[in-house]
Amino acid sequence: MESEPMLTGSINRGSVDYGSRHNSRSDAESPVTRPASYSGSEQEHDGDLYIQQAVVFIEDAIQYRSINHKVDSGSLRLYRWYYSRICQWGLGLTIAVILALAFVEKPSSITHTSDPRFRPAAWEPPCGLTEAIELVCLLIFITDVAVKSHLIGWEEFCTNKWLIGYVLVIAASVVDWTITVSMLCNETIRVRRLLRPFFLLQNSSLMKKTLKCIKRTLPEIASVILLLALHLCLFTMVGMLIFPKSEEPEKNGEWQAYFRNLPQALSSLLVLLTTANNPDVMVPAYSLNRGYALFFILFSVCGTYILMNLLTAIIYNQFRGYLLMSVKTSVIRRRLGIRAAFEVLCCQVQGHSIDSEGHVGKVRVDTVLEVMSRVQMKSYYRQAVVTAARQFSAGFMDGEAFQRLFDELDKDRIKEHPPNPQYSSPFLQWIQNTCSHYYLTVVGNVVALANVICICTVLVLDSEKTVSQRDDYYMEVINCAFILYYLLEMVLKLIAFGWRGYLSYKNNIFDGVFTVLLLVLQIAIVATYKIPYQASSPAQRGVMSLWEMVRLANMLIVFRFLRIIPEIKLMALVASTLVDLVKNLRAFAGILVVVYYVYAVIGIWLFHGAIRPPGSPSTVSNSSTENRTSNYTMECGSYEQLEYWPNNFDDFASSLVLLYDVMVVNNWQVFMDAYSRYTTEWSKVYFVSWWLTSSVMWVNLFVALILENFTYKWDKSHALSVSDVERMRYETTVQRMFRHRRLFKQDTEVDGKGDLK
């Protein structure tokens, strides 16, 4: 641990900018001794200030925040208010609102379809409506940056690139907003739409780390991409030499379709790299000579299966390494916050204790308990820290012991189930002993499987029948019998475990919710259609027909069958990994949202209205018959023949869907070919850059996170039984997921500091 006090000097200055760069180290090395002559009110005020500082430092440590901010009483109150849940939720809501304006602004996405053949005129908001909402959001952002700047001080603000960029983006947005209002919303391009994703980036420290990791990984990725480009160019030239234009027209199929010129050959092999046009690209040549297949096989093996997988390995390895370094910084930030809290509490002991010489470097346990009572944190972590603190019978603890208290934050929460209720009745005791056994769950799973098999059998038998031809009576009777068993199982478990014990198992909650829904639906069916009913009964008596109600019941039964997942250890591990991915993918998903947003806005600028179905007014008025004939084609596999008209850049929502279709790379060459025909060959640069960004970069980063998450959980639960996995709820975070790879010892000296979020 540190051998000298870190905060004494700076904190003794009163209302100062703690952590400012100009004099923080010298202050730490030369602690200022507080005079002994203080009045009672001053001592009480200073003591409460020390408590407030310790509370804020511990909250910073819990959230991995920097402690480089002002520590006077007023600033601390403002700081806690700023990072309160309601304030942060409000800021997040503001960011969501300003990003969502793209769906409403011109060109509006408020239509039931994006197909230009059937799309009605979209609702356009009146001028000033979205602009007023955007102005409110910008004012909130201005307040946000003003508060941040006040909390960290001017000198720290001048060195923070993110905050400077924040100010510049707000200023550019205000200028562009003013231009829009002055032109009565008739401008063609709104530059500020391209800047809006910055608000999402700057609000997440983990997103900033991820972006920094991606930036540092780019040089290693560039080397492989360069090798990939060399591979592509080499095979393109070889392909143009192998498949030249022949004197015999029947042998020109490969040349005419894929190797007519250099851009066409490059794009054909680039698409083959993603396997989207395989085996179409080699069929014309392969039909002439089977030896031509070797060219395409060799290209795919070297490019798709070696270089692309090598790129995945490099991205995974480099990104994991840099993310480990950033997570190490977060862990250091936590240790620094805890140490800072200890130092300010030591100042309180030295200033107010009569026997201060005997307790230098120690804090009172009751002071720690008072601090923990004010800290905003999860209740079970607070209870664990308080329990550990009360074990110090001497009444004082040193810095090392204080640091160990907060090791509880890195431990998984073990969820203990309440004890079973005690019954005096022998019959209830027998039910409790029988129904609390694992075999009841096994029988319930078998019954649920039988119910799903019955549904599948009926669906297969009725697959060729229309809704009016189906007899739902038998399916309804079968479902009724199974639902009664589900209700009986739930009641027996409630008796065995008690309602508290029953609800302590997530699997029981999942099972019980579906059972109650099925019971309510079954009662509604019986009350509406009076089962058994006559065949001549009307098809629909209420809001839903009998078939619709039975279909809804079947869907609920199928979803209820997912209860088997926690009972199989490997399946439970995979499901737990998926759940954790949803919780921990905020940074990755946020960056993907930013990239999607930027590319969608650029796509609208470049390709809005570029493709129109034949006969549309815009096509007739904006292009000649000759140009329409040259652009339009019904060739098999083309955009027009496949009727991909709904996939366009005519509004923001359809742009997002088209970008997703390209990211999946299935038939992405169709969109690239269509927009190159209707606009220019340079449009391929847009689609290729999007493929590199989304499919190559982000998908591989996603694979890296999945591998790390699954490996972490596999290593952790390898020795656990199914019941242990059910008993333990993993609170996995990105920091904890990477932290298990110990890159430094626990006694690492803490001397770093980071930027304010």
Side-chain angles (χ1 to χ4, degrees), residues 394-464:
F396 287 87
M397 65 177 69
D398 57 14
E400 185 177 354
F402 187 80
Q403 191 78 245
R404 284 199 305 267
L405 284 180
F406 296 91
D407 289 343
E408 301 291 336
L409 300 175
D410 298 320
K411 297 180 181 179
D412 294 318
R413 180 192 179 189
I414 304 300
K415 188 174 182 180
E416 299 291 342
H417 300 292
N420 293 337
Q422 302 294 325
Y423 296 111
S424 58
S425 171
F427 177 70
L428 292 178
Q429 291 177 359
W430 177 82
I431 291 179
Q432 186 179 52
N433 294 333
T434 304
C435 298
S436 60
H437 201 278
Y438 178 69
Y439 288 140
L440 179 65
T441 302
V442 175
V443 172
N445 292 337
V446 172
V447 173
L449 177 61
N451 195 356
V452 172
I453 292 175
C454 292
I455 294 174
C456 292
T457 304
V458 173
L459 290 177
V460 171
L461 294 176
D462 294 344
S463 59
E464 298 294 333

Side-chain angles (χ1 to χ4, degrees), residues 289-329:
N289 190 324
R290 68 176 72 241
Y292 285 131
L294 295 176
F295 170 81
F296 298 98
I297 293 174
L298 185 61
F299 175 82
S300 296
V301 169
C302 294
T304 305
Y305 298 108
I306 296 179
L307 292 179
M308 292 297 290
N309 287 320
L310 180 63
L311 184 64
T312 301
I314 289 177
I315 291 176
Y316 168 66
N317 186 64
Q318 295 295 329
F319 180 79
R320 185 190 64 178
Y322 286 120
L323 189 57
L324 281 169
M325 293 175 60
S326 65
V327 170
K328 176 182 176 180
T329 303

Side-chain angles (χ1 to χ4, degrees), residues 313-375:
I314 289 177
I315 291 176
Y316 168 66
N317 186 64
Q318 295 295 329
F319 180 79
R320 185 190 64 178
Y322 286 120
L323 189 57
L324 281 169
M325 293 175 60
S326 65
V327 170
K328 176 182 176 180
T329 303
S330 296
V331 175
I332 291 177
R333 187 178 292 181
R334 167 173 285 185
R335 294 169 62 85
L336 180 60
I338 296 172
R339 180 67 180 194
F342 174 78
E343 291 291 341
V344 296
L345 294 178
C346 281
C347 291
Q348 184 190 35
V349 172
Q350 294 173 5
H352 298 159
S353 176
I354 298 175
D355 189 17
S356 61
E357 294 297 329
H359 299 290
V360 174
K362 293 185 178 182
V363 297
R364 294 190 182 93
V365 173
D366 56 351
T367 304
V368 174
L369 296 179
E370 181 182 357
V371 169
M372 293 307 303
S373 66
R374 299 188 187 184
V375 173

Side-chain angles (χ1 to χ4, degrees), residues 607-671:
F607 307 117
H608 175 67
I611 298 180
R612 297 290 182 183
S616 63
S618 58
T619 303
V620 175
S621 60
N622 296 335
S623 59
S624 64
T625 305
E626 181 181 356
N627 289 335
R628 293 200 314 269
T629 304
S630 61
N631 290 336
Y632 185 82
T633 177
M634 283 299 292
E635 181 182 351
C636 182
S638 65
Y639 182 94
E640 296 84 354
Q641 187 270 330
L642 294 172
E643 295 189 344
Y644 279 178
W645 304 110
N647 297 279
N648 53 61
F649 286 101
D650 291 349
D651 57 68
F652 189 75
S654 61
S655 300
L656 295 177
V657 175
L658 193 151
L659 290 175
Y660 172 78
D661 293 337
V662 175
M663 186 181 75
V664 177
V665 302
N666 186 29
N667 274 357
W668 72 292
Q669 75 278 7
V670 175
F671 305 108

